[in-house]
Amino acid sequence: MARLELNILGCGSATTSLRHMPTCQVLNVRDQLFMIDCGEGAQLAMRRMKLKFSRLSHIFISHLHGDHCFGLLGLLSTLALQGKTGSVTVHTFQDGAQWLQQGMDYFCRERPYELKFNIITTRKAVIYEDDAITVTTIPLRHRVPAVGFLFAEKPKMRHIDAEAAKFHKVPLYAYNSLRQGLDWVDADGIVVPNAHLTKPAERAISYAYCSDTMLSRRVIKAVEGVDWLYHEATYGDECQRQARARYHSTATDAATVAHEAGAQQLIIGHFSNRYNDDTPLLEQAQRIFPATRLAYEGLKVDLNEL
Amino acid sequence: MARLELNILGCGSATTSLRHMPTCQVLNVRDQLFMIDCGEGAQLAMRRMKLKFSRLSHIFISHLHGDHCFGLLGLLSTLALQGKTGSVTVHTFQDGAQWLQQGMDYFCRERPYELKFNIITTRKAVIYEDDAITVTTIPLRHRVPAVGFLFAEKPKMRHIDAEAAKFHKVPLYAYNSLRQGLDWVDADGIVVPNAHLTKPAERAISYAYCSDTMLSRRVIKAVEGVDWLYHEATYGDECQRQARARYHSTATDAATVAHEAGAQQLIIGHFSNRYNDDTPLLEQAQRIFPATRLAYEGLKVDLNEL
């Protein structure tokens, strides 16, 4: 299994279609599932992609438009029916928390898990942290308050070369300092360089989710140097005016963000239902940023494979 | 096109599965669409079944469990995005109206159509009427207040036999009285029997929707003589105890209602997600009521074909 795997559950936009589901993603971080947005039908899409409800504990909502949150009541009710324990934290704006709390208290009062809220704002902030990752909000530019989310793996520890450590008689208690990159000084005062005792850590990966937003300098700055960027590309170049008017992006806009931020890879999504084929959007993006791919329902991306 | 056509959009129960969608039906009455319950994904199911949003003006909600109403916000938002005009009336309990109004006012404030509510109670009442049909609530027996809906076509008018009417020199102004079944008395006082001047009217069809409910005498009485009965059959006989405990029906219960009410045809649905195959439920029902069929997503039934 990938250490970090992105699952696309839905990558359509507000007006529904039979080609795409409304927005929802699940980031699998070593078998802990982080949901990003939760459009209508998210719970079914989880089943379709064989993502376990029991492993889902955090849901991040980018903004309070229906196509990004109307799946919450159904999903959270199903978690209750499935007997999920522990807690589920929904990271959302105050209004979203209030709406959801009221709905859940009416429709799903008996919950075997604890429903928690983490109230976020549009100011850039670290909103989640554990041993493996941090999640930081990215201020977006949309018609309503909206944020993206930057998931960043923490720097990894180096791996002990067991043979070498044994040869140099490094005691077990010192292994942690080796993992952190320190050299070993033995009883005779001889320094054994860390590089002789350990192997390099895996690269810490970062993933940024930016939807919905129009092209924005602040977004580019916030995702600078990111490995993987998901950026909305609701429209093609021919609809640039609509994109601006509705605070959305074109595929060219998305590619511009990836290019200027120095991202490694770009995934575009949130496609308008006017398109029966999204490849023209791909082509437009690739003119500026060749390492672009299209999101589609069911797509799994191993983010460790850069 | 059928004069009266039932569309099954979803016939699963509360715990979602990949086999069935949550409950939703659309009754097409001469191209006017009446939705009955609106589980999550109803709007997509409408698209799948090629049912036009523009023709939907009435939505009847049986009870306020999520699997019967979580599709409302998404559907009503999409109607707004599609530019639906006129009005949409949601027939529901007070709590449901309040929840939906609040949600729509937050998520979909700008609506090109008027959103109306018709507050229903658990007392039997005619809640809708037009030239073609009446809709009457059926008190159900569930864990929360719940009603079914009896859709009854109004008695049809007889058809003028144009040749005969011309032969007997019936003036046009008298045609309506002929349609109503009256005889014709000509200028010489000679009575021409109605049967010589008209052909029989089509049969007025009735359809009753009963979900969710446990077996109930009151339900049987309320649907007495109905042509078509949709009755929930969440469980098979082996789960009779669960059915009772959760105020649901078995397939045998559903068939008992159809049999004792003297229905013509039975459709069972609201299947528990424990079943990978619903045919055992069909067999159990058919032992008591042979004219039973299984609901499934995408099923269209011409209710005129009895």
Side-chain angles (χ1 to χ4, degrees), chain B residues 27-92:
Chain B
L27 191 65
N28 183 337
V29 183
R30 301 179 193 181
D31 257 354
Q32 201 190 339
L33 304 183
F34 296 85
M35 182 175 277
I36 310 167
D37 282 339
C38 184
E40 186 176 355
Q43 59 166 323
L44 272 189
M46 275 193 80
R47 286 189 192 271
R48 247 179 248 127
M49 292 191 76
K50 301 190 193 306
L51 298 165
K52 289 189 182 158
F53 291 129
S54 59
R55 298 199 178 277
L56 176 67
S57 299
H58 289 273
I59 304 173
F60 298 85
I61 301 297
S62 64
H63 65 296
L64 296 169
H65 276 162
D67 58 321
H68 292 253
C69 63
F70 280 172
L72 280 168
L73 282 173
L75 173 64
L76 293 172
S77 298
T78 293
L79 291 182
L81 285 170
Q82 298 282 25
K84 174 165 174 70
T85 53
S87 70
V88 177
T89 303
V90 181
H91 305 257
T92 182

Side-chain angles (χ1 to χ4, degrees), chain B residues 89-298:
Chain B
T89 303
V90 181
H91 305 257
T92 182
F93 297 114
Q94 180 71 54
D95 286 355
Q98 195 179 325
W99 166 70
L100 193 55
Q101 180 81 62
Q102 281 178 0
M104 288 299 289
D105 285 349
Y106 187 84
F107 287 106
C108 185
R109 182 166 281 282
E110 286 170 38
R111 301 183 291 264
Y113 63 88
E114 188 187 359
L115 177 62
K116 296 178 177 175
F117 292 98
N118 177 27
I119 305 300
I120 62 176
T121 71
T122 53
R123 285 185 55 180
K124 183 178 165 178
V126 174
I127 58 168
Y128 174 81
E129 182 169 11
D130 64 21
D131 290 347
I133 60 165
T134 58
V135 183
T136 310
T137 47
I138 302 166
L140 301 180
R141 198 168 165 207
H142 197 44
R143 303 194 301 281
V144 297
V147 292
F149 302 104
L150 175 65
F151 291 77
E153 280 193 311
K154 292 187 171 174
K156 301 273 174 285
M157 303 259 252
R158 295 179 68 86
H159 297 280
I160 306 286
D161 179 338
E163 290 285 306
K166 209 169 166 188
F167 177 83
H168 288 287
K169 297 196 175 72
V170 182
L172 283 176
Y173 71 79
Y175 275 26
N176 254 345
S177 63
L178 294 190
R179 288 194 189 94
Q180 285 160 28
L182 300 181
D183 297 334
W184 168 245
V185 187
D186 70 12
D188 304 328
I190 294 170
V191 174
V192 187
N194 186 280
H196 293 186
L197 296 163
T198 64
K199 291 171 185 165
E202 288 95 5
R203 179 174 173 180
I205 300 289
S206 58
Y207 169 70
Y209 169 90
C210 298
S211 184
D212 298 352
T213 186
M214 64 190 295
L215 182 62
S216 152
R217 282 272 128 222
R218 282 174 76 194
V219 172
I220 293 170
K221 198 166 159 47
V223 302
E224 216 167 73
V226 77
D227 295 312
W228 291 86
L229 173 65
Y230 175 94
H231 198 286
E232 73 132 295
T234 310
Y235 298 104
D237 288 340
E238 81 289 357
C239 291
Q240 200 189 59
R241 226 159 16 157
Q242 285 101 311
R244 298 280 182 279
R246 301 193 60 73
Y247 288 73
H248 278 300
S249 297
T250 62
T252 298
D253 292 337
T256 302
V257 174
H259 175 72
E260 297 200 7
Q264 298 288 315
Q265 295 278 338
L266 171 65
I267 303 168
I268 55 173
H270 201 265
F271 306 119
S272 164
N273 80 336
R274 74 188 57 205
Y275 301 114
N276 288 320
D277 173 12
D278 307 317
T279 49
L281 304 190
L282 179 65
E283 288 159 13
Q284 290 166 23
Q286 285 180 331
R287 264 176 234 146
I288 290 165
F289 193 81
T292 303
R293 67 183 83 178
L294 290 174
Y296 60 85
E297 283 69 17

Side-chain angles (χ1 to χ4, degrees), chain A residues 137-154:
Chain A
T137 47
I138 302 166
L140 301 180
R141 196 166 165 207
H142 198 43
R143 302 194 300 281
V144 297
V147 292
F149 302 104
L150 175 66
F151 290 77
E153 280 194 310
K154 291 186 171 174

